[in-house]
């Protein structure tokens, strides 16, 4: 089978639409997962087990069920309970919530890696607990976990094609639609394969640069 450059040209408008949706889902999903993951990590350090236990149960449940099942539940089951969201919003929430249970563990590891002397110094200086977290613990913890968080960004990127099952036309969805309409599969699928590689590589470079800056 010969490569058809005209098919690539015909696909490009749909590709750019799909790329925009993919990047939106990735950016917003990452923000949700990073923010929620930090909240879960802090709640898991709460003195009361009545806080820690529910958070632990929910996070384990989310982490141990497939993202695909969660997307189906959010998109098809919640409307029966009166909660209706757009497909893209559902996908962003699904990805963000799912990966927040992984980033929670990353934050926990970073917090536990902060030397005990830092806590003791903050106590000796009579810093309030909130201030201790803000200026002593979290800056050091987050600096340690940036590489791991970056890996999850790339993982989220590779999971965005799952949004196709809830009618979100991201890159793979657009490629599949084009292929079915024109009976040409090689060109659109190759284009999005290259796009995923390029985006992943650029993201890894950006995260590596951020890591070096934080180290300095």
């Amino acid at each position: 089978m010969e490569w058809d450059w005209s098919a690539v040209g015909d696909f490009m408008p749909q590709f750019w639409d799909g790329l925009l949706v993919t990047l939106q889902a990735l950016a917003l999903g990452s923000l949700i997962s990073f923010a929620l993951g930090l909240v879960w990590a802090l709640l898991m350090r709460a003195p009361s087990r009545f806080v820690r236990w529910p958070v632990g149960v929910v996070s384990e449940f989310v982490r141990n069920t497939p993202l695909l099942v969660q997307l189906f539940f959010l998109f098809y089951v919640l409307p029966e309970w009166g909660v209706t969201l757009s497909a893209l919003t559902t996908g962003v929430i699904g990805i963000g919530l799912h990966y927040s249970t992984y980033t929670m563990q990353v934050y926990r590891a970073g917090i536990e890696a902060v030397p005990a002397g830092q806590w003791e110094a903050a106590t000796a200086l009579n810093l309030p607990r909130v201030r201790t977290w803000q200026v002593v613990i979290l800056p050091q913890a987050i600096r340690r976990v940036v590489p791991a968080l970056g890996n999850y960004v790339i993982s989220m990127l590779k999971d965005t094609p799952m949004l196709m099952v809830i009618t979100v036309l991201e890159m793979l969805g657009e490629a599949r639609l084009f292929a079915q309409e024109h009976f040409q599969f090689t060109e659109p699928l190759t284009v999005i394969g290259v796009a995923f590689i390029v985006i992943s590589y650029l993201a890894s470079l950006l995260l590596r640069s951020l890591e070096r800056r934080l180290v300095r």
Side-chain angles (χ1 to χ4, degrees), residues 105-202:
Q105 299 299 333
V106 173
Y107 285 124
R108 286 182 64 185
I111 292 170
E112 292 172 359
V114 175
Q118 298 294 308
W119 294 93
E120 295 169 357
T123 302
L125 292 171
N126 201 28
L127 287 179
R129 187 168 182 82
V130 173
R131 187 68 174 163
T132 299
W133 279 104
Q134 288 177 340
V135 302
V136 179
I137 305 304
L138 288 181
Q140 297 183 63
I142 292 175
R143 188 177 297 119
R144 287 177 166 85
V145 302
V146 165
L149 293 177
N151 290 335
Y152 282 120
V153 171
I154 296 174
S155 295
M156 277 186 271
L157 171 66
K158 293 187 290 187
D159 276 346
T160 54
M162 288 191 187
L163 302 185
M164 181 177 61
V165 302
I166 58 170
T167 73
V168 175
L169 288 178
E170 40 65 61
M171 285 196 294
L172 181 59
E174 292 285 6
R176 182 170 176 267
L177 183 62
F178 179 88
Q180 290 175 339
E181 291 175 347
H182 297 83
F183 301 100
Q184 292 177 300
F185 293 86
T186 302
E187 290 80 8
L189 292 176
T190 301
V191 168
I192 67 164
V194 172
F196 273 112
I197 293 173
V198 171
I199 296 171
S200 298
Y201 180 68
L202 293 177

Side-chain angles (χ1 to χ4, degrees), residues 24-144:
Q24 286 177 335
L26 177 62
L28 297 175
S30 297
L31 289 175
I32 292 174
S33 68
F34 292 165
L36 275 182
L38 181 57
V39 171
W40 304 148
L42 294 176
L43 290 177
M44 286 297 291
R45 295 184 65 89
S48 173
R49 71 175 184 273
F50 295 107
V51 175
R52 298 194 306 271
W53 185 81
V55 172
V57 170
V58 171
S59 64
E60 285 296 323
F61 176 80
V62 173
R63 188 166 59 249
N64 291 302
T65 53
L67 173 59
L68 189 60
V69 174
Q70 295 167 14
L71 290 173
F72 274 118
F73 180 86
L74 292 173
F75 191 67
Y76 293 107
V77 177
L78 287 187
E80 297 183 4
W81 298 348
V83 180
T84 303
L85 302 171
S86 69
L88 181 57
T89 301
T90 301
V92 167
I93 293 174
I95 287 180
L97 178 62
H98 183 79
Y99 275 94
S100 71
T101 61
Y102 292 94
T103 57
M104 176 190 75
Q105 299 299 333
V106 173
Y107 285 124
R108 286 182 64 185
I111 292 170
E112 292 172 359
V114 175
Q118 298 294 308
W119 294 93
E120 295 169 357
T123 302
L125 292 171
N126 201 28
L127 287 179
R129 187 168 182 82
V130 173
R131 187 68 174 163
T132 299
W133 279 104
Q134 288 177 340
V135 302
V136 179
I137 305 304
L138 288 181
Q140 297 183 63
I142 292 175
R143 188 177 297 119
R144 287 177 166 85

Side-chain angles (χ1 to χ4, degrees), residues 8-40:
V8 175
D10 293 339
F11 172 61
M12 290 313 291
Q14 291 176 251
F15 166 76
W16 294 119
D17 291 340
L19 176 62
L20 178 60
V21 173
T22 295
L23 294 179
Q24 286 177 335
L26 177 62
L28 297 175
S30 297
L31 289 175
I32 292 174
S33 68
F34 292 165
L36 275 182
L38 181 57
V39 171
W40 304 148

